[in-house]
Amino acid sequence: MPHHEPSEISDSESKYSRRFALGAAFWSGLAAVRGWCGAKPVEAAVSHPEHVTPQTRAAIERGLRWLASRQVTDGGFGRRGSYARNVGVCALAGTAFLSHRGMTGRYRPSIQACIRYLTSRAQNDGLIVEADIKTHAPLYGHGFATLFLGQVFGESFDPQVRHVLKAATQLILNLQDEQGAWCYTSDPEDADVSITTCQMLALFSARQAGIGVPRSAIDHSVAFLRRAQNPDGGFRYRLSDPPESLFPRSAAAVVALTCAGLQDEEVVQRGRDYLRQPHPPLELSPGQLAEYHFYGRFYATHAAWQAGKSEWDRWYPTVRDELLAQQSPEGAWHDANIGDEYATAMALIVLQFPYRNVPLLAMR
């Protein structure tokens, strides 16, 4: 596997570099303004974006309260099950809290606890993982943890966060294979679109935080995703698989390619055309959501935001109403596989997209 030494990228090198340099400067300035305004902004003074109804705001508040109540003393989430104490779930929960009011809102203590948990789980090689817990594909958790730390570093400037973030980013770069992808094992045939898009977003987040990411690594991963696109515009799981598209991973690929600066290229336009087609969820059993439901909604919402107002006006009200109907009276969303903390975090990130409090998710 190639070893990438991180290096700074000049502003003239690519759209990717320019967009992320400007984004980092903007969000650093916003963090400073938030600091000048004090640690406790007046909640009533916050304007609510289009499509965020009173019912949506109430659902968000219930969901955030429930999620905060599930955080344990050390900052992690989950008390039982295979995904209990998973760093990816913690990172997504932290992102849900960050989506509310950034680092200065009422959930700041919950965000700080997430940061402590994730930095304390960083291993000597840079991998962020709960060493005592065996979960499937730990690189997923590592990717989401890296993404979250990249977003909070821009507002906290904590040197410990930067140390962990830099090592975590270098590990991702080291694990990129010859195809430009990432995989569960050392077998190159194991590289897939889903885990590759997760690592790409982690690299974009690190780049926003000022961590060096070689353009060559991004170009290499973009080439892999190009090869994975099917004739219908969607994306297959692995290059060696039949050309079968699936909505969730196709949405993830469109998001990653757009973040890489390809928003005006055919590969993204064909991907967006595929996402606009009807894709009814495949129910597993009566009353149970389709597998990857929340994963797919998260990435599809990000893709719709990137596509602009017309697509956003079409997508967000639909997914908003769907999620509101799925919320429990206690404020949670349910996922039988990964857990309710994961499902609730994902749903809250989706519903709070319009507030633009997470820099990576706010950029178009």
Side-chain angles (χ1 to χ4, degrees), residues 233-283:
F235 292 78
R236 70 189 71 188
Y237 185 54
R238 298 185 181 96
L239 297 183
S240 58
D241 287 353
E244 178 187 16
S245 299
L246 196 65
F247 180 83
R249 66 168 170 264
S250 297
V254 168
V255 166
L257 290 167
T258 303
C259 285
L262 279 68
Q263 63 271 19
D264 297 324
E265 295 197 16
E266 183 182 1
V267 64
V268 169
Q269 298 305 321
R270 290 178 57 225
R272 288 175 178 169
D273 289 343
Y274 169 82
L275 295 179
R276 278 191 289 267
Q277 299 170 18
H279 295 283
L282 301 176
E283 302 300 331

Side-chain angles (χ1 to χ4, degrees), residues 214-233:
R215 179 65 212 190
S216 60
I218 301 302
D219 288 342
H220 210 187
S221 59
V222 165
F224 173 80
L225 292 183
R226 285 183 183 276
R227 293 195 299 273
Q229 190 169 39
N230 296 322
D232 65 0

